[in-house]
Amino acid sequence: MSEHRHQDPPSPMALRVKALETLLVERGVVDPEAVDAILDVYEHQVGPHNGARVVARAWTDPAFRERLREDATAAIGELGFLGMQGEHMVALENTERVHNVVVCTLCSCYPWSVLGLPPAWYKSHAYRSRVVMEPRAVLREFGLDVPEEVEVRVWDSTAELRYLVVPRRPAGTDHLDEEALAALVTRDSMVGTAVLPDVDGGTGT
Amino acid sequence: MNGIHDMGGAHGYGAVEPGDAEPFHDDWERRVFGITLAAGSHLRSNLDRGRYELEMLPPRDYLAGYFERWFARLIKAGVALGFIDAAARAAIERGQTPTAVPRDHEPLPAAALRHVARTGRPVSRTVERAAAFVVGDTVCARNMQPATHTRLPRYVRGKNGTIVAWHGAHVFPDSNAEHDDENPQHLYSVSFRATVLWGPDAPERDSVILDLFEPYLEAPP
């Protein structure tokens, strides 16, 4: 996770944060074990593998897919992936005609319970400012060229609804079971900045 | 507030860097994230107030970086709440551990935090009053300029859209941030055509959908 190399002297920010944490621990405002616990949850337990399970289930189980459309929070709850920043979920299905992409222009709202913590680019000023106005140009920077005849829908997470994009199932995956399918699903495909390649090497769009 | 945080449609921030894909760049960023969540109610804040505190930072501090911004909020809150005094603040700035700190709080235990992380805190609420709009209605996002917290971005104000979903009532961020008053309001997903938001050169079939509270909306003029 961290790029910090231990032979480097600590940066000024590292020293400040260490000083702040020491103060807050001494004061009883935070328990250092609680800090470790919250990091453990979001670095080792909750992550895009959760969302990938939801997507793979939706691809393989039409009744689940229907429940995901009707009440995504309840459907995702069946798999046990509810939690902070996932209290009110909506699933957005990509189709031949519609491509969905998610942003939070006002801060960094992101569906933690199914995707974990957002990648740095999702929180970047460039992504937040541009994807609502020129989504196709931004998606091209991700290597994704959405055909003109496909409608692009950008979802700006301005309240507490959290969005999970359900990418299209790649061609050539009919023989795969749910677990193998989940392994194909990437984080970016569930934010909408990628589509999944067909297993024979084409693209899923 | 019409602050630096309201970035939708702004120019000048450069290209997106898809390769910048990890949540954290350095270990101190991890600690700032963890400290903020672990401090919990000791920050005397709420979800909306926390966002408002970030928005109220000077633009220079806001733009310094994502976790730099979270750090600045922690310092500001600690000073306001009295657990960081002037001497401690100066020591932290120098990267030195403050001395002679009294233990006068009781921290949230790790198990409680794990529990909250895995259960969440829903913000849906029941209200008596009926929703003013239904799916399919054309609505106009109000042209209003509150100087306090709001979740109505500037780029849709005064623009017409279509209600595509109704989500019942949720805690209203504008009053929750300012007065710790949940004041639940009906919440809708509203779809705006890209051409309405950005002009005739935008792709005809594209759209942007926002989740907007009833007080942000009115019947079109």
Side-chain angles (χ1 to χ4, degrees), chain A residues 1-4 11-46 50 80-85 87-88 90 97 100 103-109 112-113 117-136 138 141-142 148-163 187-188, chain B residues 5-11 13-28 30-35 37-39 42 47-48 51 55 62-63 66-71 74-75 82-84 88 91-98 100-110 113-114 116-124 150-153 155 164 167 170 187 189 198 203 205-213:
Chain A
M1 216 27 74
S2 167
E3 296 296 319
H4 183 73
S11 69
M13 273 308 291
L15 290 170
R16 288 184 197 121
V17 171
K18 182 71 195 159
L20 173 65
E21 182 171 359
T22 304
L23 166 79
L24 295 178
V25 168
E26 286 185 25
R27 210 127 205 175
V29 172
V30 298
D31 176 348
E33 287 182 19
V35 177
D36 292 336
I38 205 77
L39 288 166
D40 178 54
V41 168
Y42 289 107
E43 291 186 326
H44 303 298
Q45 296 173 27
V46 176
N50 289 358
F81 302 144
L82 297 181
M84 222 156 36
Q85 293 297 302
E87 293 93 339
H88 306 285
V90 175
R97 310 171 78 138
N100 297 284
V103 65
C104 171
T105 62
L106 295 174
C107 51
S108 54
C109 297
W112 291 7
S113 66
L117 299 180
W121 61 255
Y122 183 86
K123 303 176 283 184
S124 70
H125 307 147
Y127 185 75
R128 287 169 53 191
S129 61
R130 290 179 54 214
V131 78
V132 284
M133 186 161 69
E134 43 174 359
R136 290 168 186 269
V138 169
E141 286 166 26
F142 281 85
E148 200 184 325
E149 65 275 14
V150 173
E151 173 186 344
V152 173
R153 292 182 190 163
V154 184
W155 298 78
D156 189 355
S157 315
T158 48
E160 290 308 310
L161 301 170
R162 295 292 170 266
Y163 291 96
R187 177 193 59 204
D188 288 6
Chain B
H5 68 284
D6 185 359
M7 291 186 162
H11 288 125
Y13 291 112
V16 181
E17 295 175 42
D20 191 11
E22 292 296 330
F24 303 113
H25 297 107
D26 211 341
D27 192 55
W28 70 261
R30 301 171 63 247
R31 301 311 291 182
V32 167
F33 171 77
I35 292 166
L37 268 69
H42 287 310
L47 186 65
D48 300 302
R51 292 187 184 128
E55 295 163 6
Y62 188 95
L63 294 172
Y66 188 79
F67 288 107
E68 283 84 351
R69 180 187 313 162
W70 281 44
F71 175 79
L74 279 173
I75 296 291
F83 49 75
I84 301 176
I92 291 167
E93 184 55 32
R94 291 192 304 271
Q96 292 166 351
T97 304
V101 176
R103 186 180 173 88
D104 49 6
H105 294 71
E106 203 49 54
L108 273 168
L113 269 164
R114 283 185 188 276
V116 171
R118 302 309 287 268
T119 53
R121 292 192 186 93
V123 295
S124 49
T150 187
R151 298 291 288 183
L152 177 66
Y155 76 88
V164 293
H167 303 287
H170 281 205
L187 177 65
S189 297
W198 314 114
R205 53 169 63 84
D206 292 356
S207 57
V208 185
I209 301 96
L210 293 83
D211 299 319
L212 300 177
F213 291 87

Side-chain angles (χ1 to χ4, degrees), chain A residues 55-61 65 94 166-178 181 184-185 196-199 203-205:
Chain A
V55 170
R57 178 69 56 90
W59 285 344
T60 53
D61 180 344
R65 190 179 192 119
N94 283 348
V166 179
R168 296 178 65 204
R169 180 172 175 164
T173 58
D174 292 352
H175 61 292
L176 297 179
D177 65 11
E178 192 178 316
L181 287 168
L184 300 177
V185 181
L196 299 173
D198 294 341
V199 294
T203 70
T205 300

Side-chain angles (χ1 to χ4, degrees), chain B residues 147-169:
Chain B
T148 49
H149 183 69
T150 187
R151 298 291 288 183
L152 177 66
R154 273 176 284 188
Y155 76 88
V156 297
R157 294 179 194 170
K159 304 289 171 70
N160 284 357
T162 306
I163 306 262
V164 293
W166 168 68
H167 303 287

